[in-house]
Amino acid sequence: LFFGLIIGFTAWNLILPPEQAKIMFGAQLAELSTINSNFAGQVTAITGQAVNLGSTQIEVFENLFIHNFQVLVLIILFSLIYGAGAVLILAWNASVIAVFLAGIARQFVLRTTGEYAIWTGLGTGFLGILPHGTFELLSYCVGAIAGGVLSRAIVTKEYGKKNFPLILHDIAKLIAWAIILLAIGAVIETTAIIG
């Protein structure tokens, strides 16, 4: 579902005229602009002489992790409140990724000549987000499962039964794994931004 949404949103972003695409995907463009502005200062600061690279890496990691952790919390809450609610957040992330991929593809088409420039741009963008994005997506899916399990336990009134502590233990393990996967993704993304 997630990859299908990315393909669909990317295709529409590329098929529509640029002015129409800016209107249709304005919220996603604003989100990408916000993300870029949050991390642009961190990356350009590395070129300065007085900047400590270690602290800059930690700051970038913290910013990435906190942003992605907020998304994870939303996914858990949405899947807890409404079982399929996590799909809404995943669809939003897919649309933001699609706008990012379409933007890179358009840059390749403008900079290079050749019949495969758009595919080169899409491939480059996808390979750029694949290493850290895999861990983030796994984290979000595990978080959605944790929220769904808790939601089902509440709906079926498992909290009054003696196996409820075991269910809570399993949910805690799932959330812990989601946070670990998110941290791994943030480390990889930090390395990509700084390195």
Side-chain angles (χ1 to χ4, degrees):
L1 174 68
F2 186 75
F3 291 113
L5 288 169
I6 290 174
I7 291 168
F9 286 131
T10 304
W12 276 111
N13 199 317
L14 292 172
I15 290 170
L16 291 171
E19 300 82 27
Q20 188 71 25
K22 284 181 184 177
I23 294 169
M24 295 291 292
F25 295 99
Q28 289 83 353
L29 287 168
E31 176 70 15
L32 283 174
S33 177
T34 301
I35 291 169
N36 286 338
S37 67
N38 284 342
F39 301 114
Q42 304 287 345
V43 176
T44 55
I46 295 170
T47 59
Q49 300 290 18
V51 175
N52 182 356
L53 182 59
S55 65
T56 303
Q57 284 180 327
I58 291 170
E59 290 170 6
V60 171
F61 171 80
E62 286 174 353
N63 287 338
L64 287 169
F65 183 78
I66 289 170
H67 177 266
N68 292 336
F69 184 75
Q70 291 169 343
V71 173
L72 177 63
V73 169
L74 282 176
I75 285 176
I76 293 170
L77 288 176
F78 274 52
S79 65
L80 173 64
I81 295 168
Y82 177 67
V87 174
L88 174 67
I89 305 295
L90 290 173
W92 168 256
N93 281 331
S95 68
V96 172
I97 290 170
V99 169
F100 171 77
L101 292 175
I104 289 181
R106 281 197 178 100
Q107 287 176 0
F108 266 80
V109 169
L110 292 175
R111 279 192 263 158
T112 58
T113 57
E115 56 191 282
Y116 300 112
I118 195 163
W119 298 109
T120 304
L122 287 172
T124 302
F126 185 73
L127 290 175
I129 60 173
L130 185 65
H132 72 273
T134 303
F135 289 99
E136 288 176 13
L137 179 60
L138 284 172
S139 171
Y140 298 154
C141 289
V142 170
I145 291 169
V149 168
L150 182 58
S151 176
R152 185 181 185 288
I154 291 171
V155 168
T156 58
K157 299 180 181 174
E158 293 289 327
Y159 48 84
K161 299 177 183 172
K162 67 179 191 176
N163 66 339
F164 189 65
L166 181 62
I167 293 171
L168 287 178
H169 179 71
D170 289 342
I171 292 167
K173 285 193 298 188
L174 286 171
I175 291 173
W177 273 111
I179 292 170
I180 290 168
L181 290 167
L182 204 62
I184 292 169
V187 166
I188 293 170
E189 192 172 3
T190 301
T191 305
I193 290 173
I194 302 278

